[in-house]
């Protein structure tokens, strides 16, 4: 499955957020036509490949553009990762993005249900959660909880949401 192109943000947008782990990742620009609308995290730097911490915060910005997309295998090198925080600017998450994160137990989703994800195809497919360990939970902001529950695609992942 290839996620559809993420909805863009008009022009350069300043996004408040934490960039403490920005140096762990490589980036590319996300474009709508010829206009840059955000940034995509495409991989890990050498520093990222050596990262052994248990928590990572996905950066909010790259060169003043909001980070809006993560490439499918970008987190797979984080084998010690127990917690990942995804900021409110994330607009698209590919299937299996957490695959390889063998110890991951907590996904902090600060974004709204407008973030694009696929619908799992059948009972054996986990879509977004494919490759994530059993017991891994998604924590969302309380004000978004009902939006996720009632969203056409996110409702298929509601069993992964922390109560």
């Amino acid at each position: 499955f290839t996620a559809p192109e993420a909805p863009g943000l008009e022009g350069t947008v300043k996004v408040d957020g934490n960039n403490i782990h920005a140096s762990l990742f490589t980036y590319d620009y996300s474009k709508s036509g010829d206009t840059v609308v955000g940034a995509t995290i495409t991989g890990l730097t050498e520093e990222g490949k050596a990262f052994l911490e248990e928590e990572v915060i996905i950066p909010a910005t790259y060169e003043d553009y909001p980070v809006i997309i993560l490439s499918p295998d970008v987190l797979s090198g984080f084998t010690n990762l127990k917690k990942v925080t995804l900021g409110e600017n994330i607009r698209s998450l590919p299937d299996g993005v957490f695959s390889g994160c063998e110890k991951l137990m907590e996904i902090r989703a600060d974004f709204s249900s407008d973030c694009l994800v696929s619908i799992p195809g059948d009972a054996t497919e986990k879509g977004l959660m494919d490759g994530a360990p059993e017991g891994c939970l998604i924590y969302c902001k309380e004000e978004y909880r009902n939006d996720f529950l009632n969203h056409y695609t996110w409702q298929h992942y509601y069993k992964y949401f922390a109560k």
Side-chain angles (χ1 to χ4, degrees):
F1 169 79
T2 302
E5 188 173 323
L9 302 173
E10 296 301 319
T12 303
V13 177
K14 293 282 186 181
V15 176
D16 291 329
N18 192 327
N19 282 338
I20 192 169
H21 293 132
S23 63
L24 303 178
F25 302 99
T26 58
Y27 305 85
D28 198 359
Y29 295 108
S30 300
K31 294 183 177 183
S32 178
D34 291 334
T35 304
V36 175
V37 295
T40 299
I41 293 180
T42 58
L44 298 177
T45 62
E46 289 304 314
E47 182 182 350
K49 291 174 186 173
F51 188 74
L52 297 174
E53 300 298 319
E54 294 180 352
E55 180 178 355
V56 69
I57 298 170
I58 299 302
T61 60
Y62 171 69
E63 294 185 354
D64 291 335
Y65 290 98
V67 172
I68 58 175
I69 302 171
L70 278 68
S71 293
D73 297 328
V74 76
L75 299 176
S76 64
F78 292 141
T79 56
N80 287 336
L81 194 64
K82 291 184 179 180
K83 177 181 176 183
V84 63
T85 300
L86 302 161
E88 63 187 39
N89 45 311
I90 299 297
R91 299 286 183 259
S92 179
L93 290 171
D95 287 354
V97 71
F98 307 111
S99 183
C101 301
E102 302 160 357
K103 299 178 183 175
L104 185 64
M105 288 289 109
E106 185 175 332
I107 300 165
R108 287 265 168 217
D110 290 343
F111 51 81
S112 71
S113 62
D114 292 339
C115 177
L116 297 174
V117 292
S118 71
I119 296 173
D122 62 36
T124 62
E125 288 186 16
K126 292 184 179 181
L128 173 68
M129 299 302 285
D130 189 35
E134 287 297 318
C136 181
L137 295 175
I138 300 171
Y139 294 79
C140 69
K141 291 183 174 182
E142 192 59 40
E143 65 260 29
Y144 296 146
R145 183 167 294 285
N146 285 335
D147 294 338
F148 281 107
L149 174 63
N150 295 311
H151 192 275
Y152 177 70
T153 54
W154 278 104
Q155 67 183 334
H156 297 278
Y157 298 101
Y158 207 71
K159 66 183 175 186
Y160 296 104
F161 280 76
K163 306 287 187 250

